[in-house]
Amino acid sequence: MSKKIKAALIFGTRPEAIKMAPVVLEFQKRKEIEPFVIVTGQHRQMLDSVLNLFKITPDYDLNLMKENQNLWDLTSDILLSTKKVLEEIKPDVVLVHGDTTTAFGASLSAFYSKIKVAHVEAGLRTFDKNYPFPEEINRVLADSVSDFHFAPTKGAVDNLLNSGIKTKQTIYETGNTVIDALFYTLEHHKNALNIELNPNLKTILLTSHRRENFGEPLKNICRAAIELTEKNKDIEIIYPVHPNPNVRNTVYQYLNNKERIRLIEPLDYAPFCNLMKKSHIILTDSGGIQEEAPSLNVPVLVLRDETERPEALISGGVKLTGTETKNIVKNVQELLDNNSLYSRVSNVKNPYGDGLASKRIADIITEKLS
């Protein structure tokens, strides 16, 4: 019998876990692959809930999360901790995901160890190193050391080719694994929503947690939420508030006890998917939601000035609003008032995939490393 391919899958945040979980499950099915799941714990509680949802038990839990951790400490901790684990496992390939500090640190660690690197969700770009910060540089650096670039879209493939990664043989358009995760979750946990929605009100889901929105941008978002509920008596805004104190302090200062604005604790992934599905409009600065919501026929307004997911904008189901209060209010109001516009933007084809990305990734790893 031929030797199994040792594959180390390293991730540390909730979004990474959601998008890597389908890859883990697919690798576990393959007799040719021996997967090792390594989590850094960059997001602790939020990471664990996703692992439980997909019934994934890490082989190594580095548990690196610290209160108010900074990028210097986190990056060095990831680099040194993964070095030890990689020396023990001696994998044939290390898979990282996206644009987190875990992805950057683990890919660099694998590169230093002369281990092949596979970057899931490769090729995303805003072409502004400070937006989003530090994610844009994290993903560029991860791409630069990778041997397999699993790009979710043709646009991401083009970004890789145009950024100096000229070897087409390392680039594969696979679709985005988040669609695999979404379909799996809605199939296996279709009744997971654990909060009551008012059937007489349109639900507007709001999420904002990115560093670049801390401070005045987040205050503007909160002001927009207040203005929208004052203008529209038939809506309710539900905001799962991120645990980061830079988010919580501002949000509770502005929005606590406001009529028809519900501040709730972060939801586990399964109830969150069901909440997205039942929402009328989503306001978010999240990257993953821009990819998921078009599969649910829910319009998304992005609370950012730029996005590394232009395909979503081209599809028509996603629109940039920035973080100015008047722009947010204007764009939401248009969707609430114009039924034909709402129908058009809520019925688009999702450019991010068909739910088979993980299978394609496993096929490529098996073919190339057997």
Side-chain angles (χ1 to χ4, degrees):
M1 181 178 174
S2 59
K3 176 177 168 287
K4 285 190 175 186
I5 300 162
K6 285 187 175 183
L9 301 98
I10 305 180
F11 49 93
T13 67
R14 168 178 154 141
E16 283 175 296
I18 290 166
K19 293 181 175 186
M20 287 291 265
V23 183
V24 173
L25 297 180
E26 186 64 37
F27 278 25
Q28 288 175 342
K29 293 180 192 172
R30 303 293 180 110
K31 64 179 186 300
E32 306 94 341
I33 301 176
E34 182 180 6
F36 295 85
V37 175
I38 303 161
V39 298
T40 64
Q42 185 180 334
H43 290 173
R44 183 71 273 168
Q45 185 177 348
M46 299 169 80
L47 169 71
D48 292 344
S49 69
V50 177
L51 295 174
N52 292 334
L53 174 69
F54 289 94
K55 298 182 172 58
I56 293 172
T57 302
D59 298 285
Y60 296 85
D61 188 336
L62 306 181
N63 199 26
L64 299 181
M65 184 174 181
K66 299 171 186 170
E67 192 169 345
N68 291 323
Q69 62 194 0
N70 62 57
L71 293 172
W72 291 269
D73 290 341
L74 180 60
T75 304
S76 59
D77 287 347
I78 290 168
L79 196 60
L80 294 172
S81 298
T82 53
K83 171 183 179 288
K84 294 176 185 175
V85 175
L86 296 178
E87 285 175 344
E88 182 178 329
I89 299 173
K90 296 182 172 55
D92 301 295
V93 62
V94 168
L95 286 90
V96 299
H97 183 280
D99 55 18
T100 65
T101 304
T102 289
F104 162 51
S107 63
L108 186 61
S109 182
F111 171 70
Y112 284 166
S113 302
K114 299 191 182 303
I115 298 167
K116 290 185 184 299
V117 178
H119 190 192
V120 180
E121 199 180 81
L124 273 61
R125 297 287 188 275
T126 64
F127 301 101
D128 180 344
K129 70 178 183 179
N130 293 311
Y131 201 96
F133 175 89
E135 286 85 358
E136 178 74 1
I137 289 302
N138 286 342
R139 57 186 166 226
V140 170
L141 293 171
D143 279 337
S144 68
V145 300
S146 291
D147 303 274
F148 299 91
H149 302 86
F150 296 128
T153 62
K154 183 182 183 303
V157 170
D158 292 341
N159 287 340
L160 290 164
L161 293 172
N162 293 334
S163 66
I165 298 170
K166 299 296 186 186
T167 310
K168 274 191 176 180
Q169 288 79 0
T170 73
I171 301 172
Y172 306 88
E173 184 181 344
T174 60
N176 199 305
T177 59
V178 76
I179 308 304
D180 307 22
L182 178 68
F183 289 170
Y184 173 95
T185 301
L186 290 175
E187 178 186 350
H188 291 85
H189 304 277
K190 60 183 68 174
N191 298 312
L193 187 57
N194 51 6
I195 61 171
E196 290 254 346
L197 301 181
N198 188 327
N200 301 314
L201 299 176
K202 294 173 181 173
T203 298
I204 296 182
L205 173 59
L206 167 60
T207 80
S208 181
H209 68 277
R210 283 190 175 269
R211 279 186 180 87
E212 58 266 28
N213 281 346
F214 292 172
E216 200 60 31
L218 185 54
K219 293 176 185 177
N220 288 338
I221 292 166
C222 292
R223 293 181 186 113
I226 295 168
E227 187 173 336
L228 284 164
T229 51
E230 289 174 347
K231 283 185 174 182
N232 302 276
K233 303 303 180 185
D234 62 340
I235 69 168
E236 179 178 51
I237 294 176
I238 297 180
Y239 188 167
V241 185
H242 195 280
N244 189 309
N246 294 295
V247 176
R248 288 184 89 85
N249 294 344
T250 300
V251 170
Y252 274 87
Q253 177 189 345
Y254 277 79
L255 299 182
N256 198 27
N257 297 321
K258 295 293 183 182
E259 188 177 359
R260 284 175 291 107
I261 297 178
R262 290 167 62 185
L263 305 181
I264 63 174
E265 292 302 308
L267 295 173
D268 289 344
Y269 185 61
F272 188 78
C273 287
N274 283 272
L275 178 56
M276 283 197 295
K277 188 176 183 181
K278 293 178 182 295
S279 295
H280 188 68
I281 299 169
I282 298 175
L283 302 174
T284 187
D285 59 11
S286 162
I289 292 174
Q290 295 175 56
E291 299 156 349
E292 294 162 319
S295 286
L296 304 173
N297 304 119
V298 181
V300 177
L301 298 176
V302 181
L303 305 170
R304 294 164 60 181
D305 296 317
E306 301 175 43
T307 180
E308 58 276 48
R309 292 165 172 86
E311 301 87 357
L313 303 181
I314 294 166
S315 77
V318 173
K319 184 177 181 181
L320 288 174
T321 69
T323 56
E324 292 297 325
T325 300
K326 65 179 181 179
N327 289 340
I328 298 169
V329 172
K330 173 179 174 288
N331 281 280
V332 173
Q333 203 63 52
E334 285 177 351
L335 288 172
L336 291 172
D337 293 342
N338 188 330
N339 289 334
S340 62
L341 172 66
Y342 182 89
S343 178
R344 188 164 70 249
V345 301
S346 61
N347 289 283
V348 299
K349 181 181 178 185
N350 192 333
Y352 291 107
D354 53 8
L356 298 173
S358 302
K359 183 179 183 303
R360 294 186 186 102
I361 289 168
D363 286 346
I364 293 162
I365 290 293
T366 300
E367 178 192 348
K368 297 298 180 182
L369 296 183
S370 287

